[in-house]
């Protein structure tokens, strides 16, 4: 995982990490995880415990905005293996100077970039191509009793989804509360 660049945002914590891809006539090779390179780049220590994959056949498939509450809160490391996504995260840490603010990025298999999402953020994405495959590491195991979400289309978040009127989505994702109704389980720690 030779890290070429770590881009930080106006919201402290998340990072966009670009890794090297070594190519030849056969295609390319890239490490998706290397603990030493992660530490050398000054990124926070994370014990990743589970790898997940999500396949979406149709463009406009929207997943999120999701999080897990303590004691099973999750940090995530998001990687696109095939296709392209519009990724969005929202700061849910009570007391944070950036509470309720969103960060959006486009991730694609060709860009070789990963998005680090710390604990305390809601996460979601919308596919921009057919047959999109997303992989992500998480720092705690899936715990259904700790599942939470934030309404993806809450206008107060200021997220400009590329396909706002043409989404393929789980019914439950239409029922999450908006930011004003959310009782956040996360606290900001300076």
């Amino acid at each position: 995982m030779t890290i070429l660049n770590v881009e930080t945002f106006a919201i402290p914590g998340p990072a966009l990490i670009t890794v090297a891809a070594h190519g030849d006539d056969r295609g390319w090779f890239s490490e998706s995880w290397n603990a030493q390179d992660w530490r050398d780049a000054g990124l926070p220590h994370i014990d990743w415990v589970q790898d997940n994959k999500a396949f979406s056949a149709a463009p406009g498939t929207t997943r999120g905005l999701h999080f897990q509450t303590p004691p099973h809160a999750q940090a995530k490391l998001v990687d696109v293996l095939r296709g392209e996504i519009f990724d969005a995260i929202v700061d849910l840490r009570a007391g944070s100077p950036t509470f309720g603010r969103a960060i959006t990025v486009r991730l694609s298999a060709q860009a070789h970039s990963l998005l680090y999402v710390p604990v305390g953020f809601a996460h979601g994405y919308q596919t921009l191509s057919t047959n999109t495959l997303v992989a992500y590491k998480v720092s705690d195991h899936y715990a259904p009793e700790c599942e939470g979400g934030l309404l993806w289309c809450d206008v107060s978040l200021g997220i400009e989804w590329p396909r706002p009127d043409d989404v393929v989505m789980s019914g439950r994702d239409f029922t999450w509360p908006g930011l004003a109704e959310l009782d956040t389980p996360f606290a900001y720690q300076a």
Side-chain angles (χ1 to χ4, degrees), residues 19-181:
V19 298
H22 308 282
D24 61 22
D25 294 346
R26 300 167 293 170
W28 56 266
F29 170 85
S30 179
E31 288 182 344
S32 59
W33 173 250
N34 181 306
Q36 186 63 50
D37 288 351
W38 184 267
R39 284 189 298 273
D40 291 348
L43 294 160
H45 174 77
I46 303 287
D47 288 323
W48 303 112
V49 300
Q50 184 176 311
D51 284 348
N52 301 320
K53 289 191 275 186
F55 172 78
S56 301
T61 299
T62 305
R63 300 177 187 263
L65 298 160
H66 301 145
F67 56 86
Q68 274 195 188
T69 62
H72 296 289
Q74 294 176 328
K76 295 179 180 177
L77 185 61
V78 183
D79 189 7
V80 176
L81 303 179
R82 182 173 50 220
E84 182 179 11
I85 65 172
F86 174 87
D87 205 306
I89 62 175
V90 179
D91 185 351
L92 297 181
R93 301 168 298 171
S96 168
T98 56
F99 176 80
R101 287 187 41 202
I103 294 170
T104 63
V105 297
R106 287 179 185 247
L107 300 174
S108 70
Q110 291 75 27
H112 304 288
S113 294
L114 303 102
L115 181 63
Y116 168 63
V117 183
V119 167
F121 286 76
H123 170 255
Y125 62 88
Q126 188 172 76
T127 60
L128 302 176
S129 53
T130 58
N131 299 324
T132 300
L133 183 59
V134 176
Y136 56 100
K137 296 182 169 309
V138 293
S139 62
D140 205 323
H141 297 282
Y142 172 66
E145 70 278 10
C146 294
E147 254 183 328
L150 181 63
L151 185 63
W152 71 282
C153 58
D154 180 345
V155 294
S156 73
L157 303 175
I159 299 172
E160 295 183 22
W161 296 96
R163 300 174 69 114
D165 302 319
D166 183 26
V167 300
V168 178
M169 178 176 265
S170 162
R172 135 191 110 142
D173 284 344
F174 286 107
T175 65
W176 296 118
L179 186 64
E181 295 82 36

